[in-house]
């Protein structure tokens, strides 16, 4: 066990060095160019970083949930776009395939995903359907040799880049998950412009016009797409987003502290002012608390504890709120400089807010957590 931990710790440490050399200096360029360079994706794949949580038999690094969380934090601190690629490609698509794919599907796709030969994306949200995911409008019907899908998906992270999509479509109110390839006739994508955040993540609309999908491309079981595929995929995604929140909060905290120790106002360093120190104290506490929740969720996931799903939900909810709070305070400490792109806090401020929306809005998380609390903590007097 100790040697396994050391091996995984080494992977995380090497990933941090990789991020500092290959990613951190170029984050502004990624935003300006509206995407991650293919060369960088290939480098990440060569290191195994596109399959960090996947089994070694498919080319993955097989990090356990705790170390995968720490790995996610390393990328999320420096660059939301590369962290988003890991969240979608590895957590939403890769881990879902490991869990529900047939042997043929796993052997065909997981090595290709690990090598970066195919990029994965998850197609659930639609122009009129976000949190109300059970009522998707994208439809499927059966023909003799295939299933035919029609509909539009929206807000699909890396949708304009991906080669393989898990598409959720409905028939008579019951949903099914399909593996849809970009090359299938009738499938098109269009990148969404004008984003406040996530500018380098190739967010797209997907258009499916009589897309014929082979019957062997059903993922899981017919009519059980939401109950199994969607719920599992979102759980994997929420765990990654919990660590994304920790990452942004930690990066914003470090920026806030560093700036307060160097910036002078009224002949005093900002760190000397009580109100600034109060903001730093709150940021330290909140960030540590968010990390503790994420670590607990990771430990429970590692143990396959039934409570892991709810602990993950709480970690995602809290860490995303903390990211917003700490990024907001970090920008406040920077004053006018906080609005300049030469400082990281303006980007962190924008990216933090996204976390309260994706993989289930904060309001949806509150509803789930309250339902859990109302059952778990009811005591008859």
């Amino acid at each position: 066990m100790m040697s396994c931990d050391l091996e995984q710790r080494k992977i995380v440490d090497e990933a941090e060095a990789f991020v500092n050399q290959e990613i951190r200096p170029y984050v502004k360029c990624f935003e300006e160019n509206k995407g991650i360079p293919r060369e960088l994706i290939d480098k990440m794949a060569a290191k195994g970083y596109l399959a960090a949580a996947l089994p070694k038999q498919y080319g993955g690094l097989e990090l356990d949930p705790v170390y995968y969380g720490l790995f996610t934090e390393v990328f999320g601190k420096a660059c939301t776009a590369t962290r988003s690629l890991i969240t979608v490609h590895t957590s939403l698509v890769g881990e879902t395939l490991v869990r529900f794919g047939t042997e043929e599907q796993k052997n065909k796709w997981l090595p290709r995903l690990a090598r970066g030969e195919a990029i994965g994306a998850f197609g659930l949200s639609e122009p009129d359907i976000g949190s109300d995911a059970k009522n998707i409008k994208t439809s499927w019907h059966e023909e003799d040799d295939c299933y035919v899908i029609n509909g539009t998906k929206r807000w699909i992270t890396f949708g304009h880049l991906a080669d393989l999509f898990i598409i959720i479509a409905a028939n008579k109110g019951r949903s099914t998950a399909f593996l849809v390839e970009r090359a299938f006739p009738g499938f098109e994508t269009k990148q969404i412009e004008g984003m406040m955040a996530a500018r380098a993540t190739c967010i797209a609309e997907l258009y499916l016009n009589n897309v014929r999908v082979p019957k062997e491309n059903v993922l899981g079981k017919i009519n059980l797409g939401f109950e199994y595929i969607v719920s599992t995929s979102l759980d994997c995604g929420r765990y990654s987003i919990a660590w994304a929140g920790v990452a942004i909060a930690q990066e914003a905290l470090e920026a806030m502290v560093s700036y307060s120790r160097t910036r002078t106002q009224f002949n005093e360093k900002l760190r000397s002012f009580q109100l600034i120190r109060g903001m730093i104290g709150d940021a330290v506490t909140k960030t540590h608390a968010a990390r503790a929740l994420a670590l607990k969720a990771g430990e429970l996931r590692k143990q396959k504890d039934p409570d892991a799903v709810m602990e993950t939900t709480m970690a995602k909810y809290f860490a995303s709120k903390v990211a917003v709070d700490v990024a907001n305070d970090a920008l406040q400490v920077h004053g006018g400089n906080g609005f300049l792109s030469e400082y990281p806090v303006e980007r962190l401020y924008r990216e933090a807010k996204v976390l309260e929306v994706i993989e289930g809005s904060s309001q949806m998380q509150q509803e789930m957590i309250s339902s859990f609390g109302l059952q778990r903590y009811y005591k008859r007097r």
Side-chain angles (χ1 to χ4, degrees), residues 175-204:
S175 65
T176 301
F178 300 91
L179 295 174
V180 177
E181 300 177 39
R182 175 178 290 276
F184 287 172
F187 183 87
E188 296 181 3
T189 68
K190 179 182 178 182
Q191 188 159 345
I192 297 174
E193 304 286 350
M195 298 291 295
M196 178 180 115
R199 295 171 181 171
T201 60
C202 298
I203 291 179

Side-chain angles (χ1 to χ4, degrees), residues 140-285:
W140 66 268
H141 68 268
E142 185 176 6
E143 296 191 358
D144 290 339
D145 60 343
C146 68
Y147 296 103
V148 180
I149 303 179
N150 284 280
T152 302
K153 298 295 183 179
R154 198 175 201 194
W155 311 120
I156 308 306
T157 303
F158 287 99
H160 201 51
L161 178 67
D163 309 284
L164 176 69
F165 299 79
I166 296 178
I167 297 293
I168 310 300
N171 180 293
K172 298 179 181 178
R174 302 297 301 276
S175 65
T176 301
F178 300 91
L179 295 174
V180 177
E181 300 177 39
R182 175 178 290 276
F184 287 172
F187 183 87
E188 296 181 3
T189 68
K190 179 182 178 182
Q191 188 159 345
I192 297 174
E193 304 286 350
M195 298 291 295
M196 178 180 115
R199 295 171 181 171
T201 60
C202 298
I203 291 179
E205 281 196 339
L206 317 181
Y207 307 105
L208 298 101
N209 182 22
N210 291 320
V211 175
R212 301 174 69 86
V213 179
K215 291 194 172 181
E216 62 266 25
N217 279 35
V218 170
L219 183 61
K221 296 182 179 180
I222 291 287
N223 292 329
L224 292 176
F226 192 88
E227 289 82 353
Y228 290 94
I229 306 300
V230 174
S231 59
T232 299
S233 298
L234 291 182
D235 175 58
C236 293
R238 284 180 190 130
Y239 182 64
S240 187
I241 296 302
W243 281 101
V246 173
I248 288 180
Q250 183 66 42
E251 185 77 1
L253 171 59
E254 292 173 12
M256 181 195 309
V257 168
S258 299
Y259 191 80
S260 73
R261 290 175 64 93
T262 57
R263 177 72 167 176
T264 299
Q265 291 287 283
F266 306 104
N267 297 317
E268 296 280 353
K269 298 295 185 186
L270 287 181
R271 68 182 183 188
S272 302
F273 296 100
Q274 185 176 9
L275 293 178
I276 298 295
R277 295 174 70 88
M279 295 165 76
I280 292 172
D282 286 349
V284 170
T285 303

Side-chain angles (χ1 to χ4, degrees), residues 51 54-60 98 103 106-107 110-112 114-115:
L54 304 187
K56 291 181 179 179
Q57 71 184 90
Y58 301 115
V98 170
E103 287 304 311
K106 289 188 284 188
N107 289 328
L110 289 174
R112 295 181 64 189
R115 294 191 297 265

Side-chain angles (χ1 to χ4, degrees), residues 311-354:
E311 289 291 337
T312 296
T313 298
M314 288 188 280
K316 188 272 182 187
Y317 168 69
F318 187 76
S320 61
K321 289 181 69 67
V322 165
V324 171
D325 290 346
V326 177
N328 179 67
D329 284 351
L331 192 148
Q332 190 72 20
V333 168
H334 280 68
N337 284 335
F339 293 89
L340 294 173
S341 61
E342 66 182 273
Y343 293 89
V345 292
E346 68 87 21
R347 174 177 50 82
L348 296 171
Y349 181 83
R350 291 185 284 107
E351 300 290 3
K353 190 60 186 174
V354 177

